[in-house]
Amino acid sequence: MRKLGCLLVLIAAIVLAGFVAANMWAGAGPAERPVTVVVPQGASLARAATELEQAGAIRSATRFRLLARVFGGGGSIKAGEYDVPAGASASEVYALLQDGKVRQRMVVVPEGYPSALVHDALMRADGLTGEVPVPAEGSILPDSYAFQRGDTRAAVVTRMQAAMDRYLADAWAKRKPNIAVSTPEQAIILASIVEKETGKPSERRMVAAVYGNRLRIGMPLQADPTVIYPITRGRPLGRRILRSELHAKNGYNTYASAGLPVGPIANPGRASIDAVLNPASSPALYFVADGTGGHVFANTLPEHNANVEKWYAIRRSRGEM
């Protein structure tokens, strides 16, 4: 009976120890708020556990390693930056490391962003490393790009440019016949102008049609953004365009020279590229703001002049003139 009693005590102790260990593994962790932990490349479980303990994600690195061996199944962990939720159990933390659910950081490139501002965004991005020159204008496809801590800026730019190359190649293959541009490079130049001339998605194909019509007859495009670009490289001008700037011949100014500029003036988005490669069917040669954020289009100069007078009247009523 004495031996039986000792055995029962031993069994109870083992069960209790197992219950405590299981609770340590699956019970709520110590983090009172989300914490970020970086597991270096090639780090062992011991190194990862140390980082987790220092960040407050687990209570004990030693205990975490032991429990992981017992309950974790022995799978490998993956390097990266992890967001550990508040109260995450040791089991949940270990699952994060095994699944490689690393934190996704983002660089966002809005449609029409010039490369100077893309460069600014890359240099501000916390977690990216290394220097990178300002990318070639028009070479970046506007989008949101995920990266992990430690990625290089050069690698992110390479992905941005590869995305543009793929999209442009696919869009060019589907282009409408007899459009005004004859190469993908010309398409990007014109798309960058369309992008900067209207922020209204429904107008892009009409704006592309106007500029395509002007190109065909040798009429200057007269796009204000092409005047501003050589002055600021795409950054805001912050003032009105000077009369002298309208006459400046610099390869970009489409008031001073007919045809396309020598290069893009921004990084156009997918919709503007598509608009240039599939413009609206219209004989329109002119457009002017309509006071609502959009534009009104005209086929002839007299029609356009009348529309301009209406726009001036709107501006006068607003005290802008």
Side-chain angles (χ1 to χ4, degrees):
M1 289 292 294
R2 187 176 180 181
K3 288 183 179 180
L4 179 59
C6 291
L7 180 60
L8 291 174
V9 170
L10 178 60
I11 292 173
I14 292 172
V15 170
L16 179 61
F19 176 79
V20 171
N23 187 61
M24 289 179 179
W25 182 242
E32 296 181 356
R33 60 183 60 84
V35 296
T36 300
V37 181
V38 177
V39 177
Q41 197 68 38
S44 63
L45 178 60
R47 171 67 185 278
T50 299
E51 297 292 339
L52 289 164
E53 181 182 348
Q54 290 177 351
I58 59 174
R59 291 184 173 86
S60 165
T62 301
R63 186 188 304 162
F64 182 81
R65 294 199 310 273
L66 292 173
L67 293 172
R69 291 192 182 101
V70 175
F71 298 107
S76 60
I77 62 171
K78 297 179 175 64
E81 182 180 16
Y82 293 89
D83 287 327
V84 180
S89 67
S91 172
E92 291 168 334
V93 172
Y94 189 61
L96 278 177
L97 302 186
Q98 283 192 311
D99 294 342
K101 294 180 179 178
V102 296
R103 177 180 181 180
Q104 291 294 315
R105 295 172 177 266
M106 305 291 289
V107 175
V108 179
V109 179
E111 293 179 340
Y113 235 35
S115 287
L117 295 185
V118 175
H119 183 261
D120 288 351
L122 287 165
M123 297 309 296
R124 284 195 308 267
D126 182 36
L128 286 177
T129 62
E131 298 293 323
V132 68
V134 176
E137 199 70 77
S139 68
I140 302 295
L141 184 68
D143 209 334
S144 297
Y145 293 89
F147 67 90
Q148 297 180 26
R149 178 180 288 275
D151 286 352
T152 66
R153 292 180 173 87
V156 176
V157 169
T158 296
R159 285 198 286 124
M160 292 173 168
Q161 293 176 326
M164 175 60 92
D165 290 344
R166 287 193 300 271
Y167 191 82
L168 179 58
D170 183 60
W172 182 256
K174 301 173 183 176
R175 69 191 183 278
K176 189 176 182 179
N178 304 316
I179 56 176
V181 293
S182 56
T183 67
E185 292 75 21
Q186 289 181 355
I188 288 294
I189 294 172
L190 186 54
S192 72
I193 297 174
V194 171
E195 188 75 70
K196 300 302 286 186
E197 281 285 20
T198 180
K200 203 168 183 179
S202 61
E203 289 187 345
R204 288 192 178 107
R205 295 182 65 232
M206 272 298 294
V207 172
V210 168
Y211 285 134
N213 293 337
R214 288 190 171 200
L215 284 173
R216 289 189 185 90
I217 64 175
M219 181 179 176
L221 300 184
Q222 295 184 328
D224 288 358
T226 66
V227 180
I228 298 169
Y229 182 79
I231 302 169
T232 67
R233 291 293 160 177
R235 298 182 188 276
L237 182 60
R239 58 169 173 79
R240 291 185 178 181
I241 297 170
L242 303 177
R243 185 172 297 277
S244 60
E245 291 165 346
L246 288 173
H247 297 289
K249 289 194 174 184
N250 48 41
Y252 285 96
N253 181 5
T254 55
Y255 278 85
S257 302
L260 291 169
V262 295
I265 60 170
N267 291 287
R270 295 173 176 85
S272 291
I273 295 171
D274 292 345
V276 166
L277 297 178
N278 183 24
S281 296
S282 171
L285 287 170
Y286 306 92
F287 63 94
V288 68
D290 63 5
T292 68
H295 296 84
V296 58
F297 297 84
N299 299 343
T300 68
L301 185 56
E303 292 173 356
H304 175 63
N305 288 338
N307 292 333
V308 170
E309 283 304 316
K310 292 177 184 177
W311 170 231
Y312 285 169
I314 292 171
R315 292 187 63 191
R316 282 191 290 268
S317 69
R318 294 173 176 174
E320 297 173 356
M321 293 182 65

